[in-house]
């Protein structure tokens, strides 16, 4: 009887990209390329290998000694420590907390990517809204310009009406003066007639009172 086939458990993979210390460090170090893990990088989806964490921790030990003995800056050592800690956390999660945590990390990365996409979309919407606001402000400016033109036109019309009113008043004043002059003429003519009639009546009375004249009754 054939022995049953044992299927090996699925091998877990790294959920994120992990850059090398060399790519993260801007300080050049002599002979650093000979250090274990100095230029090693890991791509998301690569199989998890405990040797990666051990190699990264060995690099931390080497750089710690060099940091104490030489004038090496802090940047290479800090980069190596952060990389080793990241790898150790992933390996510890894979070993003791099953693949669920790794899946959660992947889901978190996807959520972050979605948030970034939504943020870009929101920024695009904000840009469109700002463009719309600019157009609205332009329309308001045009309306204000039209209102200003209308106000200027109204002022011109008011000025024209004022001029017409003044001309009308002048004409009415002239007409009134002519009426007064004409009335004065009538009054003078009436006065002259009254004086003439009075003189004529007086003359007639004088004539009638002359001797030998009999007044007419």
């Amino acid at each position: 009887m054939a022995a049953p086939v044992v299927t090996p458990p699925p091998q877990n993979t790294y959920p994120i990209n992990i850059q090398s210390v060399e790519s993260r460090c801007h300080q050049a170090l002599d002979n650093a390329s000979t250090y274990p893990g100095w230029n090693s990088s890991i791509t998301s989806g690569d199989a998890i290998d405990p040797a990666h964490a051990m190699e990264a921790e060995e690099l931390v030990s080497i750089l710690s000694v060099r940091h104490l003995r030489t004038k090496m800056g802090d940047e290479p050592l800090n980069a190596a420590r952060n990389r080793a800690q990241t790898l150790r956390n992933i390996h510890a999660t894979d070993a003791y907390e099953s693949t669920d945590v790794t899946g959660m990390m992947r889901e978190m990365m996807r959520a972050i990517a979605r948030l970034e996409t939504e943020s870009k979309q929101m920024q695009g919407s904000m840009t469109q809204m700002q463009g719309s606001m600019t157009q609205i402000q332009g329309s308001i400016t045009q309306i204000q310009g039209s209102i200003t033109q209308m106000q200027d036109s109204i002022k011109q019309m008011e000025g024209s009406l004022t001029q017409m009113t003044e001309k009308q008043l002048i004409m009415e004043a002239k007409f009134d003066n002519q009426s007064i002059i004409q009335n004065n003429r009538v009054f003078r003519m009436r006065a002259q007639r009254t004086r003439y009639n009075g003189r004529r009546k007086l003359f007639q009375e004088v004539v009638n009172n002359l001797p030998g004249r009999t007044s007419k009754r």
Side-chain angles (χ1 to χ4, degrees):
M1 185 175 179
V5 178
V6 178
T7 303
Q11 191 173 18
N12 294 330
T13 58
Y14 290 101
I16 58 175
N17 295 328
I18 303 175
Q19 297 177 345
S20 65
V21 176
E22 181 182 27
S23 63
R24 300 289 295 178
C25 180
H26 299 87
Q27 181 179 354
L29 293 179
D30 296 336
N31 301 323
S33 59
T34 61
Y35 296 160
W38 172 258
N39 54 8
S40 298
S41 61
I42 296 173
T43 303
S44 174
D46 290 348
I48 292 178
D49 187 352
H52 293 157
M54 296 176 64
E55 183 182 58
E57 290 168 350
E58 183 180 359
L59 178 61
V60 172
S61 299
I62 294 172
L63 293 178
S64 297
V65 173
R66 182 169 179 174
H67 183 266
L68 292 174
R69 295 180 178 178
T70 65
K71 296 181 179 180
M72 184 187 76
D74 297 336
E75 185 181 23
L77 180 58
N78 289 332
R81 285 175 175 172
N82 292 334
R83 185 175 185 276
Q85 186 65 43
T86 300
L87 286 169
R88 181 55 64 191
N89 289 339
I90 293 174
H91 291 182
T93 299
D94 179 62
Y96 291 97
E97 298 184 18
S98 74
T99 58
D100 292 338
V101 175
T102 304
M104 290 174 61
M105 292 181 66
R106 292 195 183 95
E107 187 60 31
M108 288 176 62
M109 296 300 296
R110 295 191 190 99
I112 292 173
R114 287 195 298 268
L115 288 173
E116 290 178 349
T117 302
E118 292 175 358
S119 177
K120 291 179 181 179
Q121 292 176 351
M122 290 179 63
Q123 289 177 352
S125 299
M126 289 295 295
T127 301
Q128 292 178 353
M129 290 178 63
Q130 289 176 351
S132 300
M133 289 296 295
T134 301
Q135 292 178 352
I136 292 172
Q137 289 176 351
S139 300
I140 292 173
T141 302
Q142 291 178 353
I143 292 172
Q144 290 175 344
S146 300
I147 292 173
T148 301
Q149 292 178 353
M150 291 176 64
Q151 290 175 343
D152 293 338
S153 299
I154 291 172
K155 289 180 180 179
Q156 291 177 356
M157 292 175 64
E158 289 176 348
S160 300
L161 288 173
T162 302
Q163 292 178 355
M164 292 176 63
T165 302
E166 291 176 352
K167 290 180 180 179
Q168 183 178 359
L169 292 174
I170 293 172
M171 292 177 65
E172 290 177 352
K174 289 181 179 179
F175 179 77
D176 291 340
N177 291 334
Q178 291 177 357
S179 298
I180 292 171
I181 293 171
Q182 186 175 1
N183 290 333
N184 289 337
R185 289 177 181 175
V186 173
F187 291 151
R188 284 197 298 271
M189 290 177 65
R190 288 179 179 176
Q192 289 175 358
R193 286 181 182 178
T194 301
R195 287 194 298 272
Y196 174 77
N197 291 333
R199 290 175 182 175
R200 183 177 179 183
K201 183 177 180 181
L202 179 61
F203 177 77
Q204 188 65 40
E205 289 179 354
V206 171
V207 172
N208 291 335
N209 291 328
L210 289 176
R213 300 278 300 185
T214 302
S215 60
K216 295 181 180 180
R217 301 291 181 183

